[in-house]
Each structure stands twice: as C-alpha cells, then as structure tokens.
Amino acid sequence: MKAEARIGILTVSDRASAGVYEDLSGAAIRETLSEYLTSPWQAVYRVIPDEQPLIEQTLRELTDDEGCCLVVTTGGTGPAARDVTPEATEAVCDRMMPGFGELMRMESLKYVPTAILSRQTAGLRGDSLIVNLPGKPKAIRQCLDAVFPAIPYCIDLMDGPYLECDEAVIKAFRPAK
C-alpha cells in the first residue's frame, strides 16, 4: 500500500474568529486537490486569524508535528497591514522558492491588473513545501493550475510521498530518467 500524503490546508482570515464563517477558500483548495490527486492523501485543515505568531506556530505544527509534505495557505497575501502570511512563511522556512510567487502573479495578471498587489510566496521547511495562495476561490484555482505541475516533483526531491495526478485534469512534470 502506498503511503498516504498529508497535506495541510491553512486558511488565514480574521473573519474566522468573528462568529459564523464559511471557509470558501479552504474548501476551494480541498476540492482542487481532490480533482488533481489520484494517490491517497489526507487533508489536515486549520482556520486561524491574521496573527503572525499564530500563523508561524500553525505552519510549524503542520510541517513538524503533523508531517505534512505540502502546506497550502490561503489569505493574508495582500498589501493590508494585517496581511502577514508571507512574513510568517519566510520566518519558518529554511529556504524560499520565489518562482512559485512569480508564476502565480504572472498567471493572475491574465485576469486582473491588481495581481501585482499580491505577495504570494513559497518556501521549504525541512522536508515540507509551503505555498501561499490568494484568498479568492477563483484565484486559488488559477494559481494552483499554474504551479501544481511542479509540486509533485518538488515533493519527490525532498523524499516525500509520491503524488500521482489525474492527467485528464492536470499533468505533473517529472523529468525523463
């Protein structure tokens, strides 16, 4: 039996702590990954407010304690003073992967001129990849469609679980051997 990948889904939103809240962004990530992946995986889901120490703590928990090979965040990537997800990601990562943010912004610019305001990034913590996505469900899918083809190979290079994709939906790129 193949090892089940654990994938963290982290929604960062102050609305989450303000009573009734429907997390459309986290649901969009889960739905998209369910369409992409054919290999077994388990979502490890969290919703927290925009507080940098809490974001950092939760990223460490998802990677170090929960063993997530991939953590996908949503929210907190804009220019507002409370948007601190990229800073929290940089604070916990060993190495940054700037190409992810560059590609997501380039893709988003096809749809909205305000994509240049987004500060998505990605980085490596131990043997985990952390990717920051925007907060809007439509933008989440657009950004994941752009960067996900590289994610399974990145996980391979860190000796993580082998992520298989439904090639009718998205094709993971792995160099020919």
Side-chain angles (χ1 to χ4, degrees), residues 18-29:
V20 178
Y21 173 69
E22 183 180 4
D23 180 20
L24 300 176
S25 301
I29 293 171

Side-chain angles (χ1 to χ4, degrees), residues 70-118:
L70 171 64
V71 176
V72 184
T73 73
T74 178
T77 60
R82 301 267 313 145
D83 292 333
V84 293
T85 303
E87 287 79 10
T89 299
E90 289 180 25
V92 303
C93 284
D94 306 314
R95 295 175 288 160
M96 298 308 295
M97 303 289 286
F100 281 87
E102 293 164 6
L103 180 57
M104 288 187 280
R105 278 184 291 282
M106 195 167 60
E107 181 65 21
S108 295
L109 278 170
K110 296 176 184 175
Y111 304 97
V112 294
T114 55
I116 60 172
L117 301 177
S118 188

Side-chain angles (χ1 to χ4, degrees), residues 18-42:
V20 178
Y21 173 69
E22 183 180 4
D23 180 20
L24 300 176
S25 301
I29 293 171
R30 184 188 304 252
E31 180 181 314
T32 300
L33 294 177
S34 293
E35 290 177 28
Y36 288 172
L37 294 171
T38 58
S39 53
W41 70 284
Q42 176 186 7

